[in-house]
């Protein structure tokens, strides 16, 4: 029994949602071409995952996408992305760990899947079939577009605070100074005021 599990969606379906949407993310943004950077981000992400008492999913995937936007986001099932834009603003490994920890929190708390349930309600029962059967691709597109919209908007103050706490705790348990994440988010908030771009965690940042 999982205390964070989502009604109407089993983990296999949630994982399938992430796998399908991952293809769309890569098609939309493209992977950043620096393989060493990809390996580095994945290494930090896996280090954080290894600290979890309950990972919820067997595998986590950390990827750098080729976008100048200052952003990081997670898909259901363990797919986590950072943009080259947000990496350009990071000053330390601890700051990266805080961001990845925040996004891991969205995955382990099933925020994406829960948001989909709230957004499209009864249609959720058709998701499994929509993913499994290409003839139902139209239904998947509805789900997919809703999911991306919610990812960009954030999941609301309560969920973002929960993931903020998760990110800080994960970074601390992995040996990083959580104060780095707090200072980093403060700096990003100031930058966001000037640029108009905002990482969704801002909804919860103190």
């Amino acid at each position: 029994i999982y205390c964070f599990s989502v009604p109407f969606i089993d983990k296999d379906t949630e994982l399938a949602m992430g796998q399908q949407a991952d293809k769309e993310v890569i098609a939309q943004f493209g992977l950043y071409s620096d393989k060493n950077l990809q390996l580095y981000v994945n290494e930090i992400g896996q280090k954080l995952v290894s600290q979890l008492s309950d990972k919820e999913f067997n595998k986590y995937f950390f990827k750098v996408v080729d976008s100048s936007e200052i952003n990081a986001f997670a898909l259901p099932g363990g797919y986590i992305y950072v943009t080259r834009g947000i990496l350009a603003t990071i000053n330390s490994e601890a700051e990266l760990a805080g961001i990845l920890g925040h996004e891991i929190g969205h995955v382990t708390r099933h925020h994406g899947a829960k948001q989909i349930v709230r957004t499209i309600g009864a249609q959720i029962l058709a998701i499994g079939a929509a993913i499994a059967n290409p003839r139902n691709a139209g239904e998947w597109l509805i789900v997919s577009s809703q999911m991306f919209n919610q990812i960009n908007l954030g999941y609301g103050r309560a969920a973002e605070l929960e993931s903020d706490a998760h990110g800080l705790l994960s970074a601390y348990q992995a040996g990083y100074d959580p104060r780095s994440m707090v200072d980093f988010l403060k700096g990003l908030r100031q930058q966001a005021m000037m640029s108009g771009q905002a990482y969704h965690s801002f909804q919860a940042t103190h």
Side-chain angles (χ1 to χ4, degrees):
I1 298 174
Y2 295 89
C3 60
F4 297 116
S5 61
V6 186
F8 307 127
I9 302 181
D10 59 35
K11 286 190 179 178
D12 288 341
T13 300
E14 194 174 345
L15 181 58
M17 289 165 59
Q19 288 173 334
Q20 187 67 25
D22 172 64
K23 299 174 186 175
E24 299 177 27
V25 169
I26 301 308
Q28 180 177 344
F29 296 106
L31 288 174
Y32 190 49
S33 59
D34 188 330
K35 290 184 179 179
N36 288 330
L37 188 60
Q38 296 282 358
L39 290 170
Y40 173 68
V41 169
N42 182 66
E43 181 182 339
I44 303 304
Q46 300 301 342
K47 180 178 180 180
L48 294 170
V49 169
S50 71
Q51 304 289 324
L52 297 177
S53 57
D54 190 347
K55 298 178 176 59
E56 289 292 291
F57 297 95
N58 292 330
K59 289 184 178 181
Y60 280 72
F61 306 89
F62 298 89
K63 303 181 182 183
V64 183
V65 292
D66 193 6
S67 169
S68 61
E69 292 182 8
I70 299 172
N71 205 3
F73 54 93
L75 294 174
Y79 291 83
I80 293 170
Y81 309 85
V82 292
T83 62
R84 60 176 171 81
I86 203 168
L87 289 178
T89 68
I90 289 174
N91 299 306
S92 70
E93 192 172 291
E95 293 174 357
L96 174 60
I99 290 173
L100 294 178
H102 176 97
E103 298 305 328
I104 292 169
H106 283 313
V107 174
T108 60
R109 268 62 175 182
H110 305 273
H111 289 155
K114 288 177 181 177
Q115 188 69 49
I116 291 169
V117 171
R118 286 194 291 267
T119 304
I120 66 175
Q123 293 181 39
I124 208 73
L125 297 174
I127 286 181
I131 297 171
N133 190 336
R135 288 179 297 181
N136 296 326
E139 294 178 34
W140 166 248
L141 285 175
I142 294 172
V143 174
S144 178
S145 63
Q146 293 280 7
M147 188 158 54
F148 284 128
N149 287 340
Q150 293 304 327
I151 285 170
N152 287 325
L153 291 173
Y155 299 105
R157 184 171 176 80
E160 295 298 340
L161 279 170
E162 190 176 29
S163 281
D164 275 351
H166 184 279
L168 293 171
L169 180 60
S170 293
Y172 176 73
Q173 290 176 333
Y176 297 105
D177 184 352
R179 290 173 295 185
S180 296
M181 180 61 174
V182 175
D183 292 340
F184 175 62
L185 285 176
K186 286 179 181 177
L188 266 191
R189 178 190 280 160
Q190 292 176 339
Q191 188 170 338
M193 290 176 182
M194 292 185 289
S195 69
Q197 290 187 10
Y199 175 42
H200 61 81
S201 176
F202 290 155
Q203 294 190 17
T205 306
H206 301 296

